[in-house]
Amino acid sequence: MIIATTLPLVLEHGEMVTTRQIADAAGIAEGTIFRVFADKDELISSVIDAALDSEPFERALGEIDPTLPLEATAMHAVQLAQRRVVDVWRLASSIGTRFHDRAKRPILDSPALVRLFEPHRDMLTVTPAVAARTLRAFTFAMSHPMMVEKPAAARDIVDRFLYGVVHDGA
């Protein structure tokens, strides 16, 4: 509960958020924070760990109906991935550089996204794992605030992913 309450405060105030602000938002005594965390840095590190945990993203992907057509499946997956890209970027932008090593993590393959591509295997020119990795790369490249002025619409990302950049018959 303390971590969940702290995340929006870190996004708003960065590492300058005070334990008083956190306690007030959580409705707890400030001392309670220090019964759970050694100091504010440990709390911020825990917030970073929670925000970067891929399990909620995997769960949300797992809720997508695997019987949907490929285009609809990709659209739902892109919308979830775009939200994650922006959320992680906002967090990384909010914390001080001394926490950046904590926030650096490799982007691992998504088992849930691979599973979503499995029913469409016969339509793919690559394995479901490669399709999943490619969709995530397209989404990242077309959504990350440091790469584009404005994130692409999910429809545009899905179209580039499924149909490429060449006109029919070209």
Side-chain angles (χ1 to χ4, degrees):
M1 185 268 303
I2 295 171
I3 292 171
T5 300
T6 303
L7 177 58
L9 294 170
V10 170
L11 291 173
E12 182 180 347
H13 302 285
E15 67 180 280
M16 299 310 294
V17 64
T18 66
T19 54
R20 167 62 29 220
Q21 289 170 309
I22 295 165
D24 288 347
I28 59 175
E30 193 171 2
T32 303
I33 294 170
F34 299 107
R35 282 195 285 279
V36 180
F37 301 96
D39 55 28
K40 187 175 81 171
D41 284 357
E42 183 180 319
L43 172 55
I44 290 174
S45 292
S46 295
V47 167
I48 293 166
D49 290 343
L52 296 180
D53 181 8
S54 63
E55 190 53 39
F57 177 64
E58 288 293 303
R59 263 194 319 276
L61 287 171
E63 292 173 7
I64 297 172
D65 181 355
T67 65
L68 288 172
L70 178 58
E71 191 169 317
T73 298
M75 181 68 75
H76 288 296
V78 165
Q79 290 166 339
L80 291 171
Q82 279 188 302
R83 196 169 313 124
R84 181 156 172 82
V85 166
V86 171
D87 289 348
V88 169
W89 181 81
R90 283 183 62 214
L91 177 63
S93 298
S94 298
I95 57 175
T97 55
R98 64 196 176 97
F99 290 101
H100 281 191
D101 282 344
R102 183 106 190 157
K104 288 181 185 175
R105 304 212 176 148
I107 297 175
L108 304 174
D109 284 346
S110 166
L113 188 54
V114 172
R115 280 191 298 279
L116 285 172
F117 281 114
E118 287 291 343
H120 307 285
R121 180 183 281 275
D122 59 331
M123 297 175 66
L124 302 174
T125 61
V126 296
T127 66
V130 171
R133 199 172 306 125
T134 303
L135 182 61
R136 286 183 72 187
F138 270 55
T139 302
F140 183 85
M142 296 175 73
S143 302
H144 195 285
M146 295 296 289
M147 298 184 79
V148 293
E149 186 176 319
K150 179 182 173 203
R155 162 65 38 215
D156 292 338
I157 295 169
V158 170
D159 286 349
R160 288 306 123 317
F161 171 70
L162 292 176
Y163 311 114
V165 295
V166 178
H167 292 289
D168 284 344

